[in-house]
């Protein structure tokens, strides 16, 4: 049953990713036009500011699953009950701290954003942040139940709820926006949906899994052990917050809500881009852990690392090249509007350097399996601090482009240069072999690049041209890569689903 749930969970994960992106691409333009640029920027700024309070979770979620699985394997029900009780107490305390910290933050919003926001925007941001702080505080104790569902591998229920949320969310939000309630209406609706989700998770844990708690005997040595385990995960959380949210915070401080909105749209395309890579590499995590535990064969690890990296490069080079050619027209004329024209260079500045770590993200799992991920955590933390100090003057003098440049430079230094050195010298992966295999793709990209330049020269200035040229580019890219760059394994991966589909139609 667990094997079937695992397979269904994987299928639903891909389904949710594709469905979520499609719905977001359809819903976001409507939402942007109903909200307006300043209102969207204010909502984005409030959300990114409150997200810093999410650091108070200290990465304990991963620790819960690890220790739950450990006790479950030993059939130690007593320790599981104590674990559940310990985490519920810890997260309840964190929730109270979050509320207190949130209230202090909200009271000082006028001091933080006095140069970037108007008095009316400061007033509205306080209301938005109040609801967001409440949502975040509630989510901490509720995460015990969500983690329990994950630890018990009840992926079917979990992914079904997530998929339903993905579908229902725009149908709830759009009527609220049409009625004119704008960002405050959205955050109230989000609160209600969050409470319903929490209720469903609690019901499932008690009625289907049979979760039990024990509060009388708190294991303080366990809390210490969990804290040590979570410390590097916490460090990674800080890095992510700095890299992906600090720019919006700085723009809100120095440039105002419209700059936050422009950057937010560019960042959103970068998020779409990153999601496609992660979905592929996650499938290989169990295999990586098995190889490391059984033989720690560097040659075998390099082969898998390179094979997955090549597949990711095919997908990402297709998305990135297509975005370079068609992204400007899509953002300005279909997705967001002409007032968001600077979102296009922001997206490119974020997407181009992040391509290298995305085609190498299986390396993160290899580091974890070898217990050699501390270097990455510390390095990324130092790079993120560098990003913060670099972005402040760049934001002041160059606005959204300056912030994106700061993030881009630190990405190139940390992800593209230093991590490749670490993979080669310390992890034992043959990075010369890896990059030789990636460079082999370049001949297959020449024809699509030339065709893209011709399309830009002709001009993509109507929806009709956008659609026709888009289809032509897809066909040219796929044929060129298939004929020139793909190896036998990759061609098989590409052609097998098509052959199966053809066989079903013929049958």
């Amino acid at each position: 049953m667990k094997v079937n749930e695992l397979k269904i969970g994987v299928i639903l994960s891909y389904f949710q990713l594709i469905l979520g992106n499609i719905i977001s691409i359809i819903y976001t333009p409507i939402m942007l036009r109903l909200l307006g640029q300043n209102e969207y920027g204010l909502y984005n700024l409030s959300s990114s500011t409150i997200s810093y309070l999410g650091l108070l979770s200290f990465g304990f979620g991963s620790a819960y699953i690890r220790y739950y699985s450990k006790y479950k394997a030993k059939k130690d029900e007593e320790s599981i009950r104590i674990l559940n009780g310990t985490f519920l107490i810890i997260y309840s305390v964190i929730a109270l701290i979050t509320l207190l910290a949130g209230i202090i933050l909200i009271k000082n919003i006028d001091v933080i954003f006095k140069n970037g926001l108007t008095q009316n925007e400061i007033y509205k941001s306080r209301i938005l942040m109040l609801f967001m702080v409440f949502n975040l505080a509630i989510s901490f104790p509720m995460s015990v139940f969500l983690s329990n569902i994950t630890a018990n591998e009840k992926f079917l229920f979990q992914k079904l709820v997530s998929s339903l949320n993905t579908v229902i969310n725009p149908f709830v939000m759009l009527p609220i926006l049409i009625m004119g309630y704008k960002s405050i209406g959205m955050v109230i609706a989000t609160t209600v949906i969050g409470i319903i989700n929490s209720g469903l998770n609690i019901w499932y844990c008690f009625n289907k899994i049979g979760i039990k708690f024990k509060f009388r005997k708190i294991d303080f040595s366990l809390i210490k052990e969990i804290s040590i385990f979570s410390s590097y995960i916490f460090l990674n959380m800080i890095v992510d917050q700095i890299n992906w949210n600090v720019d919006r915070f700085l723009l809100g401080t120095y440039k105002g809500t419209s700059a936050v909105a422009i950057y937010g749209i560019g960042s959103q395309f970068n998020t779409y881009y990153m999601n496609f890579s992660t979905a592929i590499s996650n499938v290989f995590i169990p295999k990586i852990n098995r190889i490391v535990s059984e033989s720690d064969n560097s040659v075998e690890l390099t082969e898998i690392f390179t094979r997955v990296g090549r597949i990711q490069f095919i997908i990402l080079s297709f998305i990135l090249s297509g975005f370079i050619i068609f992204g400007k027209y899509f953002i300005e004329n279909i997705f967001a509007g002409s007032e968001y024209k600077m979102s296009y260079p922001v997206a490119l500045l974020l997407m181009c350097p992040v391509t290298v770590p995305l085609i190498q993200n299986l390396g993160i799992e290899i580091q974890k399996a070898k217990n050699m991920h501390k270097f990455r955590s510390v390095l990324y933390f130092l790079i993120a601090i560098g990003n913060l100090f670099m972005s402040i003057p760049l934001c002041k003098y160059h606005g959204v482009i300056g912030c994106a440049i700061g993030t881009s430079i630190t990405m190139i230094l940390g992800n593209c240069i230093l991590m490749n050195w670490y993979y080669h010298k310390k992890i034992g992966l043959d990075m010369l072999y890896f990059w030789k295999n990636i460079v082999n793709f370049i001949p297959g990209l020449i024809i699509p690049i030339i065709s893209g330049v011709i399309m830009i020269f002709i001009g993509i200035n109507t929806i009709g041209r956008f659609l026709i040229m888009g289809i032509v580019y897809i066909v040219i890219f796929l044929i060129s890569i298939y004929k020139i760059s793909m190896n036998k394994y990759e061609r098989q991966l590409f052609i097998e689903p098509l052959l199966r589909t053809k066989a079903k139609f013929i049958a």
Side-chain angles (χ1 to χ4, degrees):
M1 180 64 185
K2 275 191 177 180
V3 175
N4 289 335
E5 282 229 9
L6 187 61
K7 286 180 179 177
I8 293 168
V10 171
I11 293 166
L12 283 173
S13 293
Y14 281 98
F15 171 74
Q16 189 186 345
L17 173 65
I18 295 166
L19 181 68
N21 285 341
I22 291 170
I23 288 175
S24 179
I25 288 169
I26 296 169
Y27 163 68
T28 303
I30 303 169
M31 183 261 289
L32 287 174
R33 284 157 178 80
L34 290 171
L35 269 182
Q37 190 177 57
N38 288 342
E39 188 88 5
Y40 173 72
L42 188 66
Y43 185 84
N44 215 288
L45 176 62
S46 301
S47 178
S48 62
T49 303
I50 295 302
S51 69
Y52 284 97
L53 295 176
L55 292 171
L56 291 170
S57 70
F58 298 107
F60 285 156
S62 298
Y64 176 90
I65 295 170
R66 183 194 186 204
Y67 285 96
Y68 184 96
S69 302
K70 177 182 170 183
Y71 296 142
K72 191 77 173 175
K74 294 178 180 178
K75 297 182 179 177
D76 188 349
E77 293 297 326
E78 179 72 6
S79 292
I80 288 174
R81 291 179 187 183
I82 293 170
L83 182 75
N84 291 337
T86 301
F87 267 85
L88 193 59
I89 290 170
I90 290 171
Y91 275 130
S92 296
V93 172
I94 290 172
L96 291 173
I97 295 169
T98 301
L99 285 172
L100 181 62
I103 290 166
I104 294 169
L105 176 64
I106 290 165
K107 281 191 173 182
N108 290 281
I109 283 299
D110 55 340
V111 178
I112 299 168
F113 296 118
K114 63 182 178 181
N115 296 323
L117 304 185
T118 65
Q119 283 302 312
N120 184 53
E121 287 172 337
I122 287 170
Y123 170 75
K124 191 172 283 188
S125 69
R126 282 199 169 110
I127 299 171
L128 291 172
M129 289 184 188
L130 188 64
F131 278 100
M132 289 174 180
V133 167
F134 175 77
N135 291 342
L136 184 63
I138 290 293
S139 74
F140 284 130
M142 293 302 104
S143 66
V144 175
F145 299 96
L146 184 61
S147 297
N148 188 262
I149 292 168
T150 303
N152 281 281
E153 298 182 40
K154 299 299 180 182
F155 301 112
L156 180 57
F157 171 80
Q158 193 178 46
K159 295 300 177 184
L160 279 174
V161 171
S162 298
S163 297
L164 281 171
N165 278 333
T166 302
V167 174
I168 290 169
N169 190 64
F171 288 101
V172 174
M173 296 301 178
L174 285 176
I176 289 169
L177 291 172
I178 290 166
M179 287 187 285
Y181 293 109
K182 298 207 169 186
S183 56
I184 292 174
M186 286 175 66
V187 80
I188 292 171
T190 302
T191 303
V192 174
I193 292 169
I195 291 169
I196 292 169
N197 283 337
S198 297
L200 285 170
N201 289 335
I202 292 170
W203 172 84
Y204 192 85
C205 284
F206 278 108
N207 290 279
K208 299 297 180 180
I209 296 175
I211 190 173
K212 291 182 174 63
F213 296 87
K214 188 167 185 177
F215 300 101
R216 293 178 185 175
K217 186 181 176 183
I218 303 300
D219 190 342
F220 289 99
S221 63
L222 174 64
I223 294 174
K224 183 181 177 182
E225 194 177 336
I226 288 167
S227 300
I228 294 168
F229 174 80
S230 301
S231 60
Y232 287 101
I233 298 170
F234 175 58
L235 202 57
N236 284 335
M237 289 170 63
I238 294 173
V239 170
D240 286 340
Q241 283 294 330
I242 293 173
N243 283 338
W244 303 122
N245 282 314
V246 76
D247 288 347
R248 275 172 276 199
F249 183 82
L250 292 173
L251 287 166
T253 304
Y254 297 114
K255 297 296 178 180
T257 52
S258 61
V260 176
I262 290 165
Y263 190 92
I265 291 298
S267 181
Q268 188 170 336
F269 279 94
N270 186 49
T271 302
Y272 295 149
Y273 188 57
M274 292 168 69
N275 286 343
F276 275 98
S277 173
T278 309
I280 300 163
S281 60
N282 285 346
V283 178
F284 290 86
I285 293 173
K287 188 171 185 178
I288 290 298
N289 281 275
R290 179 179 56 78
I291 293 168
V292 171
S293 62
E294 289 178 1
S295 63
D296 199 9
N297 188 324
S298 294
V299 175
E300 190 176 359
L301 287 172
T302 299
E303 284 291 338
I304 295 172
F305 180 66
T306 304
R307 191 194 316 155
V308 175
R310 279 176 61 91
I311 295 167
Q312 289 172 319
F313 185 77
I314 293 169
I315 295 168
L316 294 180
S317 62
F318 169 64
I319 296 169
L320 182 59
S321 61
F323 185 79
I324 290 169
I325 299 163
F326 302 102
K328 188 175 187 297
Y329 179 85
F330 181 73
I331 288 174
E332 292 182 25
N333 297 278
I334 299 173
F335 189 77
S338 58
E339 64 269 34
Y340 289 90
K341 64 181 180 180
M342 294 306 293
S343 297
Y344 174 70
V346 167
L348 285 181
L349 283 166
L350 297 176
M351 290 166 70
C352 289
V354 87
T355 303
V356 173
L358 288 181
I359 65 173
Q360 295 178 346
N361 55 18
L362 196 63
I364 299 170
E365 303 308 324
I366 295 172
Q367 290 176 64
K368 288 179 182 176
K370 287 174 171 277
N371 196 24
M372 295 175 70
H373 59 288
K374 294 177 184 178
F375 173 84
R376 177 180 177 271
S377 299
V378 174
L379 171 67
Y380 276 29
F381 177 73
L382 294 173
I383 292 294
I385 297 299
N387 181 15
L388 173 60
F389 285 106
M390 189 186 300
S391 293
I392 291 171
L394 285 169
C395 175
K396 283 182 178 179
Y397 298 109
H398 302 288
V400 291
I401 296 299
C403 284
I405 288 171
T407 301
S408 183
I409 290 170
T410 52
M411 281 280 175
I412 292 167
L413 179 62
N415 293 304
C416 304
I417 299 172
L418 294 176
M419 279 311 301
N420 273 263
W421 170 85
Y422 186 67
Y423 283 136
H424 192 75
K425 292 291 184 181
K426 303 297 181 181
I427 301 296
L429 298 173
D430 187 345
M431 297 309 295
L432 297 176
Y433 174 82
F434 173 86
W435 281 112
K436 183 183 175 183
N437 275 271
I438 297 299
V439 169
N440 287 341
F441 269 105
I442 291 175
L445 293 174
I446 293 171
I447 296 173
I449 289 169
I450 292 170
S451 68
V453 171
I454 293 169
M455 289 174 185
I456 292 170
F457 181 76
I458 292 170
I460 306 165
N461 48 23
T462 65
I463 292 178
R465 278 193 184 184
F466 174 82
L467 293 172
I468 292 167
M469 288 182 176
I471 293 167
V472 170
Y473 182 77
I474 290 169
V475 172
I476 291 171
F477 184 94
L478 292 177
I479 292 173
S480 181
I481 286 290
Y482 183 85
K483 291 287 186 183
I484 300 171
S485 298
M486 283 186 183
N487 58 34
K488 186 178 178 182
Y489 170 76
E490 290 153 0
R491 285 173 183 164
Q492 198 173 2
L493 281 178
F494 179 77
I495 207 74
E496 270 186 2
L498 299 176
L499 292 173
R500 278 199 222 104
T501 305
K502 182 182 176 182
K504 284 180 182 177
F505 276 109
I506 292 171

